[in-house]
Amino acid sequence: MKFLKYYLIIVIIISSKEVSSQQYSSPLDFNLLLSGTFGELRNNHFHAGIDIKTEGVEGQKVRSISDGYVSRIKVSTSGYGKAIYITHPKSGHTSVYAHLQKFNKKISRFVKKKQYERESFEINIFLNDTTLKIKQGEIIALSGNTGGSNGAHLHFEIRDTKSEHPINPLQFNFKVVDNISPLIKKIKIYAFDTTLVDGYNRDKIYPIKQYNNILTIDETPIVNGSFALAIFTYDKADYAYNKNGIYSIKVFIDNTLSYQFEVNELDFSTTRYINAHIDYCENKLSKNRYHRCFKLPNNKLLNYSNLINNGIISFKDTLLHSVDIIVNDIYKNESKLSFKIKSTNNPFLKKCTLPEDTFNKMFHYDAINKFTTNDIKIEMPAYSIYEDIMFKYQITNSVKDTYGNIYSIHNENTPVHLKYTLEIKADIADSLKSKTYIASTDLSGNYWYHGGKWEKNRIKTKVREFGDFCIVADTINPEIKGVNIFPGKKINKQTSIKLTIKDKHSGIKSFRGEIDGKWILMDYDYKESVLRYDIENDLKKGKHTFKLNVTDNVGNESNYNSTFIY
């Protein structure tokens, strides 16, 4: 009886949450068209929500999906831009609304007060359940394109409040029209170690063909040895052209389920393992994101189930085997790829391993890895890579704008999970050291700042990628240009002061605007390089002095001074 009682309590709790979730209203006032789905493959992360189109414009009304309270407000120049988090105690969920143009009046007043107290545009505030209560359907903001957004839209999430894990919002019956099955475009077969695929020890990609609504490939691959699969697939929805993410993948070998991937829930602490889930190298080379249908050794995602041998396939016969891959979106639209593989067990020569030397060294994923020469030193924590690699190192002679050689640290097509220490030796004049830093380069004249601190004749920093690194200097001050402000400007109907700020080298670190010696709130859009001050109602009529200071990442400064009459 006790067991039955507890079982009924659990069922009631789950049912009540499901009922409350069905009562969520739409965050927007018009039909929902998606430009991004939950779990979609993005750079270094899975997409934690859905991206909702806002009819190509900013300024659409954004509403709370349920009663609750504002539990967090974040304003940043990158990432989510202007974002509101609303906790809904009855359902145990928190809804997130990001890339907003502006908050409603009561939220704006609260945020602006905090920004002026801290003298900072960027802010991250956590609130209790009494400060800003919100009703279902209440307008909380206007949609925008702030932060890392590349176009006007609303990024919307639902999270489990307790764990803070994002959960798929589309399971809560928001009205999205989707009658289109996912598209499967290509399949890749991986040849491990001494495996032969169609006679060669290399991976092979096969395009997908459709015959009478059946997806297949034109040939029967012949495989000798252990292998694995990956697919290039995406989803589409009615009335939208976007290539969205899929919901689930199942792989059947001879009618036995051997791999399953599903995105009901994500965890921010493991989202970077997307670089183990996708074929990172293939994405770098072809811009196609393949879902691996097998797990690399250092892949801690919990979105897999029904794994047999971690998805690695090995036949011990010379028979014909069936492969079926089923891809679904969350609305149960389905695509199925079916083909045959012929296995063989012919004898073959063993693959020769590269010998370790001063420029090649085996790095094990589960160990601390170090590499040292007279010029560089590398130390990687354990679990910084997703599988064992033969680490490669090469030196290229210095090119224009660099100090010393260019160091090829393995290659950019291999992903790195954790930051590692990179130290480079160089003879740099003491007077210049404060302006130099370690940069990654594409060897085409482009450099990306990674910082660095000098200890005698060695500069050290932490990086999170492989590739080509060098030392460069930035001695040029940031650039400031007035857009609608200049010395002596008379401001009558103008409601804002705008300037552009740019730094072509180490990048902008900070800025500070003042009027008559007092800090002012300036909204920064880094994509457009625009700083904007919205003129306050309490600015007195008469003559004023505007000042702007901009500092880059190595301490170069620029100042802009202008008087204006208001």
Side-chain angles (χ1 to χ4, degrees):
M1 286 298 291
K2 277 189 176 181
F3 172 81
L4 181 60
K5 180 180 177 181
Y6 291 135
Y7 175 80
L8 289 172
I9 289 171
I10 291 169
V11 168
I12 290 168
I13 290 171
I14 293 172
S15 299
S16 65
K17 283 195 174 186
E18 288 178 347
V19 169
S20 64
S21 70
Q22 307 310 313
Q23 296 173 353
Y24 287 155
S25 55
S26 175
L28 296 169
D29 291 339
F30 41 84
N31 293 335
L32 302 186
L33 296 179
L34 303 185
S35 58
T37 50
F38 185 82
E40 196 168 286
L41 307 178
R42 300 287 178 91
N43 288 336
N44 297 317
H45 71 284
F46 290 94
H47 193 225
I50 57 175
D51 287 341
I52 308 173
K53 292 174 178 282
T54 53
E55 301 182 330
V57 298
E58 298 183 39
Q60 302 281 19
K61 296 173 182 175
V62 178
R63 301 179 184 273
S64 175
I65 62 169
S66 185
D67 292 351
Y69 65 93
V70 177
S71 53
R72 184 184 181 190
I73 304 168
K74 188 173 184 181
V75 177
S76 56
T77 55
S78 59
Y80 283 8
K82 296 178 181 177
I84 297 175
Y85 300 68
I86 298 178
T87 295
H88 310 287
K90 288 185 179 179
S91 66
H93 295 151
T94 296
S95 54
V96 183
Y97 314 78
H99 305 309
L100 304 171
Q101 182 191 76
K102 61 173 66 175
F103 307 124
N104 71 15
K105 288 184 178 180
K106 70 177 180 180
I107 297 174
S108 287
R109 283 195 299 269
F110 178 84
V111 172
K112 186 177 287 188
K113 183 174 181 292
K114 296 295 183 183
Q115 287 173 315
Y116 270 91
E117 286 174 359
R118 303 178 189 184
E119 295 191 352
S120 175
F121 168 66
E122 292 197 322
I123 198 164
N124 189 16
I125 315 165
F126 293 88
L127 296 81
N128 61 34
D129 58 2
T130 61
T131 306
L132 289 172
K133 289 186 176 294
I134 299 293
K135 288 291 185 182
Q136 184 175 35
E138 182 177 344
I139 298 171
I140 56 171
L142 298 181
S143 66
N145 184 33
T146 57
S149 170
N150 292 316
H153 74 281
L154 173 67
H155 174 85
F156 172 71
E157 297 178 17
I158 294 179
R159 300 182 185 180
D160 177 84
T161 302
K162 188 174 181 180
S163 67
E164 297 186 5
H165 289 179
I167 51 182
N168 199 326
L170 297 180
Q171 64 185 292
F172 297 113
N173 288 345
F174 293 105
K175 293 181 180 178
V176 175
V177 180
D178 182 358
N179 298 298
I180 301 175
S181 297
L183 283 76
I184 307 174
K185 306 300 288 184
K186 298 175 185 177
I187 184 163
K188 184 173 183 177
I189 299 181
Y190 294 84
F192 296 126
D193 298 326
T194 55
T195 298
L196 301 180
V197 177
D198 291 335
Y200 295 93
N201 180 232
R202 62 185 181 217
D203 307 336
K204 186 172 180 179
I205 293 174
Y206 302 83
I208 306 303
K209 304 292 183 179
Q210 183 169 336
Y211 301 102
N212 299 321
N213 295 322
I214 297 173
L215 298 177
T216 188
I217 58 179
D218 270 345
E219 52 191 297
T220 300
I222 300 173
V223 179
N224 188 358
S226 297
F227 66 97
L229 306 171
I231 56 170
F232 174 42
T233 180
Y234 54 84
D235 191 31
K236 302 195 79 172
D238 299 66
Y239 316 117
Y241 62 86
N242 305 81
K243 296 177 180 178
N244 296 329
I246 54 88
Y247 171 67
S248 70
I249 300 171
K250 294 178 182 177
V251 177
F252 293 85
I253 305 298
D254 293 330
N255 299 316
T256 298
L257 181 60
S258 61
Y259 169 94
Q260 184 170 352
F261 170 78
E262 197 169 84
V263 280
N264 273 322
E265 183 176 333
L266 294 169
D267 183 342
F268 288 113
S269 69
T270 59
T271 191
R272 192 177 172 88
Y273 285 103
I274 187 173
N275 292 330
H277 175 76
I278 66 168
D279 186 327
Y280 188 89
C281 180
E282 187 65 49
N283 181 42
K284 283 283 189 178
L285 297 174
S286 69
K287 307 303 180 186
N288 292 331
R289 290 191 173 108
Y290 281 73
H291 289 262
R292 292 184 193 267
C293 297
F294 64 103
K295 277 187 72 176
L296 293 183
N298 184 28
N299 179 352
K300 296 181 181 178
L301 290 172
L302 299 178
N303 299 85
Y304 306 105
S305 60
N306 297 300
L307 288 177
I308 297 177
N309 197 31
N310 282 326
I312 296 171
I313 305 160
S314 183
F315 298 127
K316 305 296 183 184
D317 52 45
T318 58
L319 303 176
L320 207 59
H321 297 270
S322 66
V323 178
D324 298 292
I325 301 177
I326 298 174
V327 181
N328 287 93
D329 62 27
I330 197 166
Y331 297 106
K332 299 182 179 179
N333 299 304
E334 180 178 293
S335 291
K336 182 178 180 181
L337 168 66
S338 298
F339 62 98
K340 303 290 186 182
I341 285 182
K342 176 73 167 66
S343 65
T344 67
N345 57 6
N346 296 327
F348 49 89
L349 294 175
K350 274 203 162 186
K351 189 176 180 181
C352 296
T353 57
L354 288 171
E356 291 193 11
D357 54 34
T358 53
F359 298 112
N360 292 283
K361 184 179 181 181
M362 181 61 72
F363 275 19
H364 298 282
Y365 77 90
D366 57 352
I368 295 172
N369 293 293
K370 298 180 181 181
F371 184 85
T372 303
T373 70
N374 290 332
D375 297 316
I376 71 157
K377 182 179 179 181
I378 297 165
E379 184 168 342
M380 304 188 76
Y383 302 101
S384 293
I385 49 180
Y386 301 109
E387 58 184 332
D388 294 349
I389 62 171
M390 179 60 79
F391 175 82
K392 297 178 181 180
Y393 168 71
Q394 186 176 335
I395 300 174
T396 304
N397 290 334
S398 178
V399 296
K400 184 183 177 183
D401 299 325
T402 66
Y403 293 80
N405 296 319
I406 295 173
Y407 302 96
S408 296
I409 311 301
H410 199 56
N411 68 75
E412 64 174 5
N413 298 330
T414 300
V416 176
H417 192 72
L418 301 175
K419 288 184 178 181
Y420 65 92
T421 301
L422 172 61
E423 188 177 305
I424 300 177
K425 179 183 178 182
D427 293 321
I428 306 289
D430 289 342
S431 59
L432 189 61
K433 281 184 176 179
S434 65
K435 302 301 181 184
T436 56
Y437 55 93
I438 292 177
S440 55
T441 178
D442 59 2
L443 302 179
S444 298
N446 296 307
Y447 302 94
W448 291 272
Y449 175 85
H450 290 279
K453 291 185 178 181
W454 284 94
E455 295 179 7
K456 296 183 179 180
N457 64 341
R458 306 184 79 90
I459 185 171
K460 182 192 295 186
T461 192
K462 286 185 178 290
V463 296
R464 208 175 188 181
E465 62 192 54
F466 288 133
D468 297 308
F469 294 90
C470 56
I471 298 173
V472 296
D474 178 5
T475 58
I476 301 173
N477 294 335
E479 177 187 284
I480 305 175
K481 289 184 178 180
V483 175
N484 62 357
I485 182 72
F486 54 82
K489 175 77 181 282
K490 291 183 179 180
I491 296 177
N492 295 316
K493 296 181 180 180
Q494 187 174 314
T495 59
S496 65
I497 294 174
K498 293 182 181 179
L499 306 96
T500 60
I501 59 173
K502 296 179 181 179
D503 190 89
K504 296 179 181 179
H505 300 281
S506 62
I508 290 169
K509 181 180 181 181
S510 65
F511 59 87
R512 179 183 176 87
E514 294 182 353
I515 290 181
D516 301 331
K518 293 183 179 180
W519 182 87
I520 57 172
L521 175 61
M522 302 198 76
D523 194 310
Y524 181 40
D525 181 351
Y526 80 93
K527 300 188 294 292
E528 301 295 330
S529 303
V530 172
L531 269 178
R532 188 190 76 248
Y533 165 66
D534 293 323
I535 298 172
E536 306 283 359
N537 293 329
D538 59 356
L539 184 66
K540 294 180 180 179
K541 303 293 183 182
K543 188 176 181 180
H544 298 277
T545 301
F546 169 77
K547 292 182 179 180
L548 175 64
N549 171 270
V550 179
T551 305
D552 68 19
N553 278 302
V554 296
N556 298 311
E557 287 187 329
S558 288
N559 292 286
Y560 182 96
N561 298 289
S562 177
T563 57
F564 67 93
I565 298 170
Y566 181 67

